[in-house]
Amino acid sequence: MKRQRIFAFVKIQLKSLIKVPTALFIILILPVALILIFGFAFGSIYVEDYGWTGQDGYLFEFMVPGFIAISGLFIAIPVALSFSEDREQGLLKRINTTPTTAAEFMVSHIISNIFMAIIQVAIIFVLTFLMGAMRYITLTGILLSFVIMIIFTLSTIGFGLITATVSKSAKAAGGLVWIFLLPQQLLASNLYPLPPETQIVTMFMPLYYASDALSLLFFGVDLGNLRIWWDLLILVAFSLVLIIAGILLFKKYGRA
Amino acid sequence: MNIMSESKTEDFKLKFGPENPNAIEVRDLVKIYTGRKVIEEVRAVDGISFSVNKGELFGLLGPNGAGKTTTINILVGLLDQTEGEAFVGGYDVKKNLPKIKELIGVCPQQASVYQYLNAKENIELFGNLHLVKKEVINERMEKFLNLLGLSKAANRAAKKYSGGMLRQLNLIVALISDPAILFLDEPTVGMDARVRRATWDFINSLKNTNKTVILTTHYIEEAEVLCDRVAIIDFGKLVALGPPKELIAKHGAKDLEEVFLKITGRRIMEGL
């Protein structure tokens, strides 16, 4: 693998964040808007014995981990769109006629999307801190949150690649990607309490493990709590399976 | 004036030596499209053989669907042939694709550049993919942008380019690595007459750099002006091969277009 090629791709993919309005909106503006809107709407509502946490606090505080996880999930949209558009415009074929290897191409996409996820999480943390909704999380918890989101990003790239593989056009990809996003968003985001019976479905959704681990960290649960590490372990497994499946499927069926 | 260094061309000579004068060699090449999406088997390329000498500007002509792009796609590694052999720069396309990719530049039929990037960013990206040094990329980029009159628009996003400008950028991207063998698939489609002429001059100037150029085009006049030799393909078969002047004389035609129409028109009439 040649660094010059990987850096060249990472550079242009990060430029897309500034130059492509859809990417800018989905990756940065939407999460910021969600935090601001829900922060101002629910930041002053105090609830007792909230959901599975059994803790008291402001409603918005319980929602923040879910927003962080959902924001990471949104990365699947630009991934699906960019791969589909590159294919439509003949760019994938053109790149395929250069000495670039498939590994270099995919690694560059992983790096740039992880970088975007880090920026996204950092912005949300700053906003949440300014809004006073980070009362219990420790510094180690913040760092571990970044690790969780980096791992979770791999699974969202996998979702994006699978969507791009099965979509015939970028427009179709933009719609199809919601098959992966919406159920996770509705059922596994921890934004609101759901009956335990839903877990039979959410246990198959990587977002559940990301938002669950983030929620534990946000409420200052001791790092020795096995549930955090169990979540992380399952998330790693999900992410590896999804990213590998995404890369293999796209390589075999999605490039033409 | 040579518009490019001949460094890669020199490497290329060393690799193959004078005993192998062919930049490209195609033997009994067949491509059959089958599969779920294809209702009946399509023989897109049907046993064609030809060779292209080093430093030659070689034209592949044919009506729509004749098999030109399929042939090019096999040579650049985008498609696998069904039967036959193909060698690019002496390397077998089935066995040594990575080596071939280091030698070639491809200007595809569709103007394939990143629309949100400007010309300079697109050119720089593809230079980097070929591991060209930054200063060399900048030097060549400036030269090409000037030669094709794109300098003033170099910092404008490609999505704001006209069709002709996009085509020119498409061509520059293919040349940034200074390839020994250049594939130009319909490089002037959609250009107005003035820009097309300027692009012809540019392609013609590539002859001075000892590059091998394989050009497919719908503009028969373009092939007549630019190409040292042409091959006419129809229904996947090679139906004529030679220098334009020889073909014109052989068929008693006034120009290459007449030759083309005589050959391909007759085959259509005969229902071949």
Side-chain angles (χ1 to χ4, degrees):
Chain A
M1 278 204 272
K2 299 286 181 189
R3 265 184 302 175
Q4 190 177 350
R5 290 192 191 117
I6 293 172
F7 284 149
F9 275 127
V10 170
K11 198 172 152 189
I12 64 136
Q13 283 149 15
L14 291 178
K15 273 185 184 171
S16 76
L17 193 61
I18 304 159
K19 297 191 176 192
V20 180
T22 323
L24 180 68
F25 178 78
I26 291 165
I27 292 179
L28 294 182
I29 298 175
L30 190 58
V32 168
L34 284 174
I35 292 291
L36 290 177
I37 293 166
F38 282 86
F40 285 114
F42 302 120
S44 55
I45 300 172
Y46 199 79
V47 287
E48 289 174 0
D49 192 20
Y50 185 82
W52 61 267
T53 64
Q55 278 188 297
D56 302 344
Y58 291 99
L59 184 56
F60 179 60
E61 284 182 301
F62 294 101
M63 299 175 113
V64 170
F67 282 133
I68 294 176
I70 285 176
S71 302
L73 193 65
F74 286 154
I75 287 177
I77 303 171
V79 170
L81 289 177
S82 73
F83 275 91
S84 310
E85 278 167 2
D86 288 359
R87 185 178 54 208
E88 261 176 18
Q89 289 165 9
L91 275 158
L92 294 181
K93 276 187 181 172
R94 180 166 218 166
I95 291 165
N96 211 13
T97 64
T98 71
T100 310
T101 63
E104 286 164 342
F105 186 65
M106 287 299 176
V107 165
S108 70
H109 268 275
I110 290 169
I111 292 173
S112 56
N113 282 295
I114 283 176
F115 189 74
M116 286 179 201
I118 290 172
I119 295 173
Q120 203 182 45
V121 177
I123 289 173
I124 296 174
F125 268 124
V126 170
L127 273 178
T128 312
F129 175 76
L130 292 174
M131 296 170 92
M134 280 175 60
R135 291 189 295 163
Y136 308 111
I137 190 168
T138 60
L139 185 63
T140 325
I142 292 174
L143 293 175
L144 192 56
S145 301
F146 275 95
V147 174
I148 290 167
M149 288 311 293
I150 287 170
I151 295 166
F152 181 57
T153 304
L154 294 178
S155 74
T156 61
I157 298 170
F159 282 130
L161 283 171
I162 293 168
T163 308
T165 305
V166 297
S167 308
K168 285 192 174 166
S169 67
K171 274 186 184 172
L176 272 175
V177 72
W178 287 97
I179 289 176
F180 294 116
L181 304 194
L182 206 58
Q184 294 197 71
Q185 211 174 316
L186 291 174
L187 297 172
S189 61
N190 260 349
L191 281 180
Y192 35 78
L194 284 169
E197 289 78 12
T198 54
Q199 214 182 348
I200 199 155
V201 182
T202 56
M203 65 189 287
F204 296 104
M205 299 177 174
L207 182 75
Y208 170 77
Y209 301 97
S211 55
D212 190 59
L214 289 173
S215 297
L216 292 166
L217 294 171
F218 258 78
F219 284 92
V221 170
D222 188 70
L223 286 183
N225 188 320
L226 275 181
R227 186 164 156 183
I228 297 175
W229 302 104
W230 189 237
D231 280 341
L232 194 59
L233 190 69
I234 297 173
L235 193 60
V236 168
F238 259 118
S239 297
L240 284 177
V241 168
L242 283 164
I243 191 83
I244 291 169
I247 290 172
L248 293 178
L249 284 170
F250 190 79
K251 209 177 155 191
K252 185 149 192 203
Y253 304 106
R255 296 175 85 176
Chain B
M1 184 188 77
N2 279 0
I3 58 166
M4 274 167 284
S5 73
E6 292 188 10
S7 56
K8 201 172 266 182
T9 314
E10 288 303 320
D11 289 349
F12 175 66
K13 277 180 192 162
L14 289 174
K15 273 172 196 159
F16 306 108
E19 75 282 355
N20 182 1
N22 294 336
I24 288 171
E25 199 159 337
V26 171
R27 295 179 202 146
D28 303 318
L29 197 68
V30 174
K31 176 66 190 175
I32 301 169
Y33 288 109
T34 51
R36 280 185 299 135
K37 289 179 185 173
V38 183
I39 298 164
E40 61 178 281
E41 207 176 80
V42 177
R43 224 174 160 85
V45 176
D46 196 2
I48 62 171
S49 301
F50 65 87
S51 58
V52 181
N53 301 324
K54 275 185 213 165
E56 191 175 25
L57 212 160
F58 186 84
L60 267 181
L61 309 180
N64 287 333
K68 307 182 295 287
T69 299
T70 301
T71 306
I72 295 240
N73 282 345
I74 292 169
L75 293 174
V76 302
L78 291 175
L79 280 176
D80 289 330
Q81 71 262 42
T82 312
E83 285 169 30
E85 290 175 305
F87 298 88
V88 176
Y91 294 110
D92 189 332
V93 292
K94 271 199 163 170
K95 294 175 190 160
N96 296 96
L97 211 45
K99 287 275 181 199
I100 291 172
K101 287 177 179 179
E102 285 174 18
L103 285 175
I104 62 171
V106 180
C107 176
Q109 208 175 97
Q110 185 183 8
S112 303
V113 293
Y114 283 92
Q115 298 288 319
Y116 62 88
L117 297 180
N118 64 36
K120 283 185 174 175
E121 290 165 333
N122 268 300
I123 297 165
E124 192 187 330
L125 168 69
F126 281 91
N128 279 319
L129 298 188
H130 283 275
L131 305 180
V132 181
K133 284 181 184 161
K134 195 176 181 207
E135 54 271 31
V136 179
I137 293 175
N138 290 337
E139 194 185 311
R140 286 180 193 160
M141 177 159 59
E142 204 176 316
K143 215 179 279 182
F144 292 144
L145 289 169
N146 276 328
L147 278 166
L148 285 168
L150 280 182
S151 296
K152 282 184 184 169
N155 292 314
R156 204 189 300 163
K159 66 182 169 198
K160 292 179 182 164
Y161 277 21
S162 68
M165 288 163 86
L166 269 179
R167 290 264 154 209
Q168 288 181 310
L169 176 58
N170 203 29
L171 182 57
I172 295 174
V173 166
L175 278 162
I176 195 63
S177 62
D178 189 15
I181 302 171
L182 182 64
F183 292 89
L184 306 177
D185 195 358
E186 311 269 2
T188 59
V189 163
M191 287 181 180
D192 64 40
R194 185 185 55 84
V195 178
R196 193 186 309 149
R197 291 277 168 182
T199 309
W200 286 4
D201 290 342
F202 181 75
I203 294 171
N204 215 10
S205 72
L206 297 175
K207 282 182 183 172
N208 303 328
T209 61
N210 203 23
K211 287 191 186 311
T212 306
V213 182
I214 291 86
L215 169 80
T216 75
T217 180
H218 271 105
Y219 301 112
I220 310 299
E221 187 197 355
E222 182 169 292
E224 191 176 335
V225 170
L226 295 174
C227 297
D228 300 316
R229 284 191 307 144
V230 295
I232 300 177
I233 302 176
D234 199 13
F235 294 107
K237 288 184 188 295
L238 189 72
V239 290
L241 176 68
K245 280 182 185 166
E246 265 183 30
L247 290 176
I248 292 166
K250 187 178 165 190
H251 290 268
K254 69 174 192 304
D255 55 23
L256 192 61
E257 187 160 336
E258 200 179 318
V259 175
F260 181 82
L261 288 172
K262 269 188 179 175
I263 295 172
T264 59
R266 190 183 65 232
R267 287 172 63 83
I268 291 167
M269 297 281 279
E270 288 168 356
L272 288 169

